[in-house]
Amino acid sequence: MTYVVLENCIKCKYMDCVEVCPVDCFYAGDNMLVIHPEECIDCGVCEPECPADAIVPDSDSLATPEWLKLNAQYARVWPNITVKGTPPADAGDWDGVEGKLADFSPEPHRG
Ligand code: SF4
Ligand code: F3S
């Protein structure tokens, strides 16, 4: 079991989630975060912290194989993140916008 970050994180990247995770299992890309499925202890604390409702348990129907795979894949290559940074200035404009997977960046988070 693990929790999974979904499409609505893309370009919102609020990062409230990283502050509450007891095992520091979030990894940061340029415009979204993912959860490492083998490090997550399934505590559920992060889910209500996300202002974009972008985190669900893997038992949720929104946690499709595509998103499970993306989280596992990028958790291996992106840097760990434990402290909330500054969200994008236009994060609110992207909250709830559909089709953001097309905007997904595979680049790692910088600074
Ligand atoms: Fe971290 Fe718990 Fe969220 Fe897993 S469910 S990512 S352990 S806060
Ligand atoms: Fe993304 Fe929500 Fe965390 S928008 S960075 S999953 S608080």
Side-chain angles (χ1 to χ4, degrees):
M1 290 283 287
T2 180
Y3 275 63
V4 188
V5 184
L6 303 177
E7 184 170 18
N8 205 38
C9 180
I10 296 171
K11 296 180 104 169
C12 287
K13 198 183 176 187
Y14 287 116
M15 294 173 277
D16 301 64
C17 52
V18 306
E19 295 278 342
V20 298
C21 180
V23 295
D24 295 339
C25 65
F26 282 91
Y27 292 79
D30 181 43
N31 65 5
M32 81 170 289
L33 305 191
V34 293
I35 292 170
H36 195 306
E38 285 156 27
E39 296 176 359
C40 174
I41 59 170
D42 210 31
C43 72
V45 172
C46 56
E47 183 179 9
E49 293 299 318
C50 175
D53 293 331
I55 303 174
V56 296
D58 63 3
S59 56
D60 192 293
S61 61
L62 293 173
T64 61
E66 175 183 35
W67 288 100
L68 290 165
K69 183 178 170 196
L70 187 146
N71 276 249
Q73 178 179 351
Y74 286 95
R76 288 198 295 268
V77 294
W78 284 348
N80 187 243
I81 181 168
T82 60
V83 177
K84 177 180 164 79
T86 306
D90 60 351
D93 295 340
W94 291 102
D95 191 353
V97 173
E98 298 200 3
K100 289 196 286 180
L101 184 55
D103 297 312
F104 170 77
S105 170
E107 297 301 314
H109 174 84
R110 289 189 192 83

